[in-house]
Amino acid sequence: VDIYLHQPKKNIEYLRFVNLLCEASHSRRKTVKKWLKDRNVPRSSARYEIAEVIGVSISQLFPLSEENQNAPV
């Protein structure tokens, strides 16, 4: 995911990645872009769908902080 944070916002790969996450999570582009900028985190059902589509475990994509086990870092 970090690789997409450094891509120009109009880069076709970035846009495809955003669209992929939108489709997988049934979320709006604006919402997905906030996730990518670390402003918000996806709801738990969306985290599962994103992890499945990307092929990475949920714990790798959304590690839990030590202080609050319910909130990703």
Side-chain angles (χ1 to χ4, degrees), residues 21 24-27 35 41-52 58 62:
L21 297 183
S25 64
H26 306 285
S27 301
W35 299 340
V41 293
R43 63 191 182 287
S44 60
S45 61
R47 289 182 218 165
Y48 173 79
E49 297 297 332
I50 291 167
E52 190 172 291
I58 292 175
F62 307 103

Side-chain angles (χ1 to χ4, degrees), residues 40-67:
N40 290 340
V41 293
R43 63 191 182 287
S44 60
S45 61
R47 289 182 218 165
Y48 173 79
E49 297 297 332
I50 291 167
E52 190 172 291
V53 167
I54 294 176
V56 177
S57 72
I58 292 175
S59 61
Q60 285 180 301
L61 283 176
F62 307 103
L64 297 176
S65 69
E66 291 179 17
E67 296 172 2

